[in-house]
Amino acid sequence: MLISLPSASDCKESDVTPESFYFSRRALLGGSVAALTVSALPRWADAADPSPYADVEPGTAPDWFKAKLSDTKWQAVTVKGEAITPFKDATHYNNFYEFGTDKGDPAKSSGSLKTEPWTVVIDGEVGKPGRYALEDFMKPYQLEERIYRLRCVEAWSMVIPWMGFPLSALLKQVEPTSNAKYIRFETLQDPKSMPGQRSDFALIDWPYAEGLRLDEAMNPLAILAVGMYGRELPNQNGAPLRLVVPWKYGFKSAKSIVRISLMSEQPKTTWQTIAASEYGFYANVNPTVDHPRWTQAHERRLPSGLFSPNIRQTEMFNGYGEEVASLYAGMDLRKNY
Ligand code: MTE
């Protein structure tokens, strides 16, 4: 973000990618939710330990989350021929400025985040506004595992197995009014548990906020996640509820959401407010539009090290063009970056 690019040696070379994590992309979306079906339960679905992933630190999942595991659609969307990032990298190389600006800070400091009880407010241009305890908010939804690429604007990337549900399902429930054109996500403001919010040097005007156009939010790829790697979200990854929009730079994926508002006007978002010339509202992954201070043509896939930097070409819309390109038909993506 405003800080300089991390050096290629930030991740240890010994963090090699486990080859057992190659999945086929069973049913990529043909533009409809109906395409998201799983033909059979994966081999781990009945195991006592619900996580199929190596070296996943056990969490302390709330009962509502555990109750949803047996009915989860595993591998509802996958990535063909790309290794899943080891849990350790996904949970120790984070951006969560509420807990500090170093990549290791969120893992070190987010233990103070209290995720139970948690309340989510739905308001603005909706027929059914409300204030929900998270377990009630989650009641209508079946969990799906969505294995997605995550591309940060800082030019590193990962492949993460999220667990969540389509944002479109929530929107259908809350009945946006005809004035609703955008959706805004507001995240937790709690300086007591979030040391970054107590810092006098923070650039961010808290709370961290993000937004989407309503048709982007309705795209089947956009999800609200409550878990990853077969368990609940670790605090540093945005527990207990975060947005995941895989065709956009990672900063759009707001963590620890407390309020979802439907709006008639485009909301102000955190990074656009800090530096509009560097971070746009759309923030679609685009290898042809460079950040003013670095190229976006390629990325470092984690884990990467000095002797195996693991550089790959960045794909337009992070490889999800088939599903999302039509959202931007006729738009100048150089202006609307
Ligand atoms: N959400 C909040 N509340 N605060 C943040 O600082 N950082 C964003 C996004 N969501 C951020 C946030 C950025 S810049 C990125 S790249 C992703 O979270 C990182 O997600 P990860 O740490 O799970 O990889």
Side-chain angles (χ1 to χ4, degrees):
M1 311 300 292
L2 286 181
I3 51 179
S4 59
L5 264 179
S7 79
S9 57
D10 278 0
C11 283
K12 279 195 263 119
E13 175 125 23
S14 56
D15 295 339
V16 290
T17 304
E19 288 191 4
S20 54
F21 293 152
Y22 289 89
F23 291 126
S24 65
R25 197 184 201 189
R26 271 197 201 185
L28 230 213
L29 309 173
S32 82
V33 176
L36 292 173
T37 53
V38 179
S39 50
L41 280 177
R43 63 189 152 66
W44 61 80
D46 296 326
D49 174 1
S51 175
Y53 301 104
D55 302 325
V56 174
E57 282 167 29
T60 47
D63 289 342
W64 64 262
F65 182 90
K66 287 188 212 151
K68 286 185 181 289
L69 283 175
S70 59
D71 194 31
T72 294
K73 281 196 213 169
W74 298 100
Q75 297 185 52
V77 179
T78 68
V79 175
K80 193 178 181 180
E82 291 176 41
I84 289 182
T85 303
F87 180 79
K88 184 168 157 258
D89 295 276
T91 55
H92 288 80
Y93 192 91
N94 299 103
N95 278 333
F96 200 170
Y97 281 59
E98 287 86 336
F99 295 103
T101 53
D102 284 348
K103 294 287 183 279
D105 286 343
K108 274 188 223 135
S109 309
S110 63
S112 52
L113 176 64
K114 199 171 159 246
T115 56
E116 276 186 277
W118 192 270
T119 306
V120 184
V121 173
I122 307 286
D123 63 7
E125 294 288 348
V126 280
K128 292 187 178 163
R131 187 185 182 85
Y132 302 90
L134 185 61
E135 55 271 33
D136 297 332
F137 177 82
M138 289 302 298
K139 260 190 196 134
Y141 310 113
Q142 181 184 19
L143 293 187
E144 293 178 21
E145 184 178 54
R146 301 281 190 101
I147 303 173
Y148 285 160
R149 300 181 198 93
L150 169 71
R151 169 61 157 84
C152 179
V153 73
E154 295 164 342
W156 52 263
S157 65
M158 304 194 199
V159 176
I160 311 273
W162 303 106
M163 296 168 74
F165 66 95
L167 180 55
S168 61
L170 168 71
L171 290 170
K172 281 173 201 151
Q173 290 249 334
V174 303
E175 298 175 4
T177 70
S178 57
N179 291 331
K181 301 283 182 284
Y182 294 90
I183 178 165
R184 175 180 183 270
F185 302 88
E186 184 175 303
T187 75
L188 184 69
Q189 181 159 20
D190 182 28
K192 283 195 299 304
S193 66
M194 298 178 138
Q197 293 184 340
R198 298 196 295 269
S199 162
D200 292 336
F201 303 103
L203 296 163
I204 294 175
D205 185 14
W206 310 106
Y208 190 101
E210 258 308 334
L212 297 172
R213 235 171 42 193
L214 193 55
D215 58 342
E216 296 180 308
M218 289 297 290
N219 186 279
L221 285 176
I223 60 166
L224 285 171
V226 291
M228 61 194 269
Y229 295 83
R231 52 159 281 178
E232 82 281 11
L233 284 175
N235 286 357
Q236 60 267 39
N237 294 91
L241 182 72
R242 75 174 281 170
L243 179 66
V244 179
V245 268
W247 69 98
K248 292 180 178 282
Y249 291 122
F251 67 86
K252 297 297 286 181
S253 295
K255 295 175 166 182
S256 304
I257 292 168
V258 293
R259 182 183 294 268
I260 300 175
S261 309
L262 277 289
M263 303 181 69
S264 55
E265 305 286 330
Q266 184 175 304
K268 285 201 167 62
T269 59
T270 290
W271 283 100
Q272 200 188 16
T273 306
I274 295 173
S277 60
E278 302 195 6
Y279 311 106
F281 176 80
Y282 282 94
N284 291 318
V285 175
N286 188 341
T288 69
V289 177
D290 286 341
H291 184 278
R293 290 182 283 128
W294 58 82
T295 176
Q296 294 293 22
H298 41 78
E299 66 203 50
R300 227 165 26 93
R301 174 63 54 86
L302 298 185
S304 82
L306 198 53
F307 300 109
S308 60
N310 211 3
I311 304 294
R312 29 190 315 136
Q313 297 303 308
T314 290
E315 293 179 73
M316 187 64 204
F317 297 117
N318 207 17
Y320 299 101
E322 212 179 296
E323 292 80 22
V324 303
S326 61
L327 291 168
Y328 311 104
M331 277 177 69
D332 181 346
L333 297 181
R334 295 204 150 266
K335 280 196 195 131
N336 297 287
Y337 51 88

XYZ file of all heavy atoms in Angstrom, residues 1 90 93-98 150 152 156 158 162 187 204 208 236-237 242 250-251 253-255 271, ligand 1:
251
model
N 0.853 -1.155 0.000
C 0.000 0.000 0.000
C 0.912 1.234 0.000
O 1.735 1.317 -0.857
C -0.946 -0.057 1.203
C -1.645 -1.391 1.349
S -2.661 -1.892 -0.042
C -3.977 -0.710 0.033
N -0.510 -18.093 4.759
C -1.759 -17.326 4.669
C -2.113 -16.656 5.990
O -2.864 -15.679 6.018
C -2.897 -18.246 4.227
N 1.379 -13.737 6.980
C 1.792 -12.694 6.035
C 0.515 -11.940 5.688
O -0.191 -12.275 4.734
C 2.424 -13.342 4.805
C 3.141 -12.362 3.898
C 4.495 -12.084 4.077
C 2.456 -11.714 2.863
C 5.142 -11.175 3.245
C 3.101 -10.823 2.030
C 4.444 -10.556 2.224
O 5.095 -9.658 1.399
N 0.160 -10.990 6.529
C -1.172 -10.382 6.430
C -1.124 -8.861 6.357
O -0.210 -8.239 6.881
C -2.028 -10.773 7.653
C -2.244 -12.265 7.751
O -1.611 -12.945 8.550
N -3.104 -12.792 6.925
N -2.158 -8.324 5.768
C -2.433 -6.884 5.871
C -3.690 -6.723 6.707
O -4.779 -7.170 6.300
C -2.674 -6.272 4.482
C -1.385 -5.960 3.759
O -0.358 -5.720 4.385
N -1.436 -5.959 2.439
N -3.544 -6.132 7.862
C -4.685 -5.851 8.737
C -4.184 -4.720 9.631
O -3.655 -4.929 10.717
C -5.063 -7.101 9.548
C -6.456 -7.109 10.124
C -6.969 -8.270 10.687
C -7.271 -5.984 10.093
C -8.250 -8.323 11.206
C -8.558 -6.015 10.613
C -9.052 -7.193 11.177
N -4.311 -3.504 9.080
C -3.639 -2.347 9.676
C -4.120 -2.022 11.074
O -3.421 -1.338 11.826
C -3.797 -1.143 8.731
C -2.830 -1.211 7.572
C -2.838 -2.284 6.693
C -1.899 -0.214 7.367
C -1.946 -2.363 5.647
C -1.000 -0.277 6.310
C -1.032 -1.359 5.452
O -0.139 -1.426 4.427
N -5.293 -2.530 11.445
C -5.767 -2.332 12.809
C -4.817 -2.973 13.816
O -4.828 -2.637 15.009
C -7.168 -2.955 12.969
C -8.295 -2.183 12.289
C -8.496 -2.526 10.817
O -7.536 -2.993 10.175
O -9.596 -2.306 10.300
N -5.848 -14.903 -4.493
C -5.899 -13.595 -3.821
C -4.698 -12.804 -4.317
O -3.561 -13.222 -4.128
C -5.815 -13.770 -2.302
C -5.598 -12.493 -1.485
C -6.846 -11.618 -1.476
C -5.213 -12.817 -0.044
N -2.777 -9.238 -4.108
C -2.663 -7.959 -3.406
C -2.132 -6.901 -4.371
O -1.331 -7.196 -5.268
C -1.723 -8.098 -2.212
S -1.505 -6.542 -1.315
N 1.963 -9.335 -4.530
C 2.120 -10.731 -4.095
C 0.754 -11.406 -4.203
O -0.277 -10.726 -4.260
C 2.697 -10.851 -2.679
C 1.989 -10.055 -1.611
C 2.353 -8.827 -1.151
C 0.810 -10.427 -0.881
N 1.472 -8.402 -0.183
C 0.516 -9.355 0.014
C -0.028 -11.530 -0.871
C -0.575 -9.376 0.886
C -1.109 -11.545 -0.004
C -1.375 -10.489 0.865
N -1.648 -15.302 -3.387
C -1.803 -16.601 -2.716
C -3.002 -17.310 -3.358
O -3.730 -16.720 -4.156
C -2.131 -16.413 -1.224
C -1.151 -15.580 -0.434
S -1.452 -15.809 1.352
C -0.630 -14.359 2.003
N -11.346 -20.478 0.931
C -12.271 -19.776 1.828
C -13.498 -20.626 2.095
O -13.837 -21.522 1.317
C -12.748 -18.464 1.184
C -11.671 -17.515 0.788
C -11.231 -17.246 -0.482
C -10.863 -16.708 1.659
N -10.224 -16.314 -0.440
C -9.981 -15.965 0.853
C -10.821 -16.535 3.048
C -9.053 -15.077 1.381
C -9.899 -15.649 3.572
C -9.029 -14.929 2.755
N -15.976 -1.898 8.955
C -15.343 -2.923 9.781
C -15.165 -2.409 11.214
O -15.447 -1.251 11.513
C -14.014 -3.376 9.148
O -13.043 -2.363 9.355
C -14.152 -3.602 7.645
N -4.908 5.835 8.382
C -6.297 5.493 8.086
C -7.242 6.222 9.033
O -7.012 6.295 10.235
C -6.489 3.957 8.197
C -5.672 3.266 7.096
C -7.966 3.577 8.115
C -5.672 1.751 7.151
N -12.030 1.133 8.878
C -11.714 0.722 7.504
C -13.031 0.437 6.796
O -13.911 -0.242 7.335
C -10.868 -0.546 7.577
C -10.228 -1.006 6.281
C -8.882 -0.749 6.028
C -10.948 -1.732 5.334
C -8.268 -1.198 4.861
C -10.340 -2.183 4.164
C -9.002 -1.910 3.940
O -8.397 -2.349 2.791
N -6.440 -12.897 12.413
C -5.618 -12.067 11.520
C -6.140 -12.049 10.084
O -5.741 -11.201 9.289
C -4.147 -12.509 11.548
C -3.863 -13.928 11.121
C -3.826 -14.896 12.294
O -4.610 -14.783 13.219
N -2.901 -15.855 12.245
N -7.007 -13.001 9.747
C -7.567 -13.031 8.394
C -8.954 -12.398 8.310
O -9.631 -12.509 7.291
C -7.595 -14.465 7.873
C -6.196 -15.016 7.673
O -5.635 -15.614 8.600
N -5.598 -14.779 6.532
N -15.679 -11.625 6.699
C -14.967 -10.744 5.771
C -15.507 -10.910 4.362
O -16.144 -11.916 4.038
C -13.463 -11.023 5.779
C -13.085 -12.280 5.044
C -11.588 -12.460 4.938
N -10.975 -11.663 3.895
C -9.668 -11.526 3.746
N -8.830 -12.121 4.591
N -9.179 -10.808 2.762
N -6.629 -7.201 -3.177
C -7.017 -7.670 -1.841
C -7.574 -6.598 -0.930
O -8.353 -6.912 -0.025
N -7.232 -5.324 -1.150
C -7.696 -4.312 -0.197
C -9.209 -4.107 -0.245
O -9.788 -3.528 0.666
C -6.920 -2.990 -0.335
C -7.112 -2.205 -1.603
C -8.162 -1.299 -1.726
C -6.215 -2.328 -2.658
C -8.319 -0.537 -2.877
C -6.364 -1.568 -3.815
C -7.423 -0.678 -3.931
N -11.233 -6.524 0.039
C -11.812 -7.588 0.877
C -11.782 -7.189 2.349
O -10.899 -7.602 3.108
C -11.045 -8.894 0.656
O -11.225 -9.339 -0.662
N -12.737 -6.379 2.742
C -12.771 -5.829 4.102
C -12.894 -6.940 5.151
O -13.673 -7.879 4.992
C -13.939 -4.871 4.224
N -12.118 -6.777 6.218
C -12.077 -7.782 7.298
C -12.905 -7.338 8.504
O -13.036 -6.147 8.767
C -10.634 -7.965 7.762
C -9.715 -8.556 6.715
C -8.284 -8.590 7.224
C -7.420 -9.481 6.348
N -6.042 -9.557 6.849
N -8.754 3.245 1.090
C -7.507 3.518 0.369
C -7.687 4.589 -0.684
O -6.771 5.368 -0.964
C -6.919 2.228 -0.207
C -6.272 1.463 0.889
C -6.797 0.394 1.565
C -5.016 1.754 1.522
N -5.947 0.005 2.562
C -4.841 0.818 2.560
C -4.028 2.703 1.306
C -3.710 0.805 3.373
C -2.899 2.702 2.124
C -2.750 1.755 3.140
N -9.552 -5.081 6.206
C -9.334 -4.312 7.287
N -10.346 -4.128 8.161
N -8.130 -3.723 7.535
C -7.087 -3.878 6.663
O -5.998 -3.310 6.902
N -6.295 -4.880 4.563
C -6.714 -5.270 3.220
C -7.773 -6.381 3.244
N -8.767 -6.125 4.250
C -7.286 -4.671 5.505
C -8.549 -5.295 5.323
C -5.597 -5.679 2.376
S -4.557 -4.417 1.886
C -5.421 -6.958 1.948
S -4.230 -7.342 0.783
C -6.221 -8.069 2.488
O -7.124 -7.627 3.515
C -5.273 -9.102 3.062
O -5.976 -10.236 3.495
P -5.136 -11.413 4.202
O -4.304 -10.795 5.280
O -6.170 -12.367 4.730
O -4.282 -12.016 3.121
